[in-house]
Amino acid sequence: MKNLYENAQIEQLLKDFYTVTGQRVGVFDRDANIIVEYPQPCCDFCSHIRSFQKGYKACMNCDRTWIKEAAKGKTVKYRCHAGLIEICAPIVDEIGIIGYFMFGQVLYDTGYQEQYEQCKKLCADYFTPEEFEQKISSVKRISAEYLHSVENIMAACVGFIYLKQLMNVSGAGLWGQIDYYLERNYTRHFTLEEMAEELKVSVSSICKTSKAKTGRTLKELLMQKRIHKAKKLLQSSSHSISEIALLVGITDYNYFSRLFKRMEGVSPTAFRKLSNERYR
């Protein structure tokens, strides 16, 4: 399953956002990986910090920390590790959070001296006093009212990304996500809560989507997939019945045999025998 992003259209949206607001902006996937950012590179101040391995890692860790906060479903406004103001908003569609829209690297135009001193203290490892004085001038200073207006435009952009389907995590909506999760995890025990956390949706959304799409519960779908995989192993491998049960995620051999017979009408042993006779 692929992550599908309309990068050209997303980049154009970010260019338009920058033209209107003057604010640098980036779009991240739901795993906190950058998809598109504009403009490139970032301001001289941030570029200088990122030229240090320690600074680059601090920037990446900061992004991930606040993306994790935005993953709770709300826009977050914060100071980054260098003391600059940034805002991160989740991008949401019917399957849940599919990415994040982030802008900032600015300071307020009021109370500037206090912010200046704080940034200088936080960034002491990256700048000489002369370098700091030179580079901090590349950071834009804006009013709180202006930042609020930019935040509203950002919300409109987030809605536009969803409306135009510029980001499609599964290529098949929530059902595609569910089916792919089962394909990857049928060999192990997992809970609905664990699945919902990874897919960034509610348990009820998973259950309703499974039922609406197939007429079956998630538990029934999981058992169906396990038995389907078991049938293939019975036909193509020399594994014992108990080994096949374990390979498809069922630790109780007796339960596996009963389940198989209930779903297929014959025991695993009989199914293997019939399959072998059919292909002689």
Side-chain angles (χ1 to χ4, degrees):
M1 186 171 56
K2 297 180 179 178
N3 293 330
L4 304 177
Y5 307 127
E6 298 294 340
N7 284 29
Q9 294 184 57
I10 294 175
E11 184 173 10
Q12 185 58 55
L13 177 65
L14 301 196
K15 287 180 180 179
D16 292 341
F17 181 91
Y18 180 76
T19 298
V20 172
T21 67
Q23 299 303 310
R24 187 174 186 274
V25 62
V27 169
F28 295 74
D29 68 18
R30 63 181 187 163
D31 296 316
N33 301 308
I34 189 70
I35 298 173
V36 180
E37 55 187 345
Y38 188 86
Q40 293 181 327
C42 48
C43 69
D44 287 347
F45 183 80
C46 294
S47 292
H48 183 85
I49 292 175
R50 293 184 181 187
S51 68
F52 294 83
Q53 183 178 14
K54 177 183 175 181
Y56 178 82
K57 290 176 70 174
C59 286
M60 297 303 102
N61 289 337
C62 185
D63 285 346
R64 290 188 175 92
T65 295
W66 289 102
I67 281 175
K68 188 175 181 179
E69 284 298 308
K72 296 175 182 178
K74 293 184 178 181
T75 297
V76 291
K77 185 188 301 181
Y78 58 94
R79 296 272 181 173
C80 74
H81 72 102
L84 306 185
I85 302 164
E86 295 187 336
I87 297 178
C88 180
I91 303 169
V92 183
D93 73 359
E94 67 276 3
I95 76 163
I97 294 175
I98 58 174
Y100 302 90
F101 196 101
M102 185 182 292
F103 79 90
Q105 299 177 348
V106 298
L107 293 170
Y108 286 126
D109 58 1
T110 56
Y112 177 72
Q113 190 59 37
E114 182 179 349
Q115 296 173 93
Y116 174 97
E117 295 299 335
Q118 181 66 11
C119 288
K120 190 174 183 178
K121 181 179 178 180
L122 291 171
C123 299
D125 289 342
Y126 310 117
F127 297 94
T128 65
E130 294 76 18
E131 287 173 335
F132 182 83
E133 186 66 35
Q134 178 187 6
K135 301 295 185 181
I136 192 67
S137 63
S138 70
V139 177
K140 290 187 177 182
R141 292 183 249 175
I142 62 176
S143 68
E145 292 78 12
Y146 184 78
L147 186 65
H148 180 68
S149 296
V150 175
E151 190 175 349
N152 287 338
I153 296 172
M154 177 186 71
C157 290
V158 167
F160 181 82
I161 289 172
Y162 165 68
L163 183 65
K164 295 296 184 179
Q165 296 185 332
L166 301 186
M167 298 177 68
N168 188 336
V169 173
S170 69
L174 180 53
W175 167 245
Q177 290 281 73
I178 292 169
D179 188 51
Y180 185 54
Y181 187 92
L182 294 179
E183 183 66 29
R184 288 186 293 118
N185 294 281
Y186 74 89
T187 61
R188 69 178 187 88
H189 171 75
F190 62 87
T191 65
L192 263 174
E193 289 74 18
E194 182 182 348
M195 182 180 182
E197 183 178 358
E198 181 170 329
L199 298 186
K200 301 293 189 294
V201 296
S202 66
V203 168
S204 63
S205 293
I206 292 173
C207 295
K208 288 177 182 177
T209 300
S210 299
K211 194 72 172 178
K213 187 70 177 180
T214 68
R216 296 182 177 88
T217 66
L218 190 76
K219 182 178 180 180
E220 290 170 337
L221 289 173
L222 178 58
M223 292 303 106
Q224 183 182 51
K225 186 172 288 289
R226 284 173 169 167
I227 295 304
H228 175 71
K229 299 292 185 180
K231 286 167 63 178
K232 288 188 172 183
L233 289 170
L234 287 165
Q235 291 171 332
S236 63
S237 78
S238 59
H239 290 300
S240 68
I241 306 300
S242 59
E243 287 173 335
I244 288 174
L246 290 172
L247 286 170
V248 299
I250 300 175
T251 57
D252 187 329
Y253 167 78
N254 292 323
Y255 172 71
F256 170 74
S257 296
R258 292 196 304 271
L259 179 66
F260 192 98
K261 187 171 184 178
R262 187 173 78 239
M263 295 181 69
E264 298 300 321
V266 295
S267 69
T269 301
F271 178 86
R272 170 173 269 172
K273 183 178 179 181
L274 289 169
S275 297
N276 290 339
E277 289 175 352
R278 188 177 304 154
Y279 291 107
R280 282 177 183 173

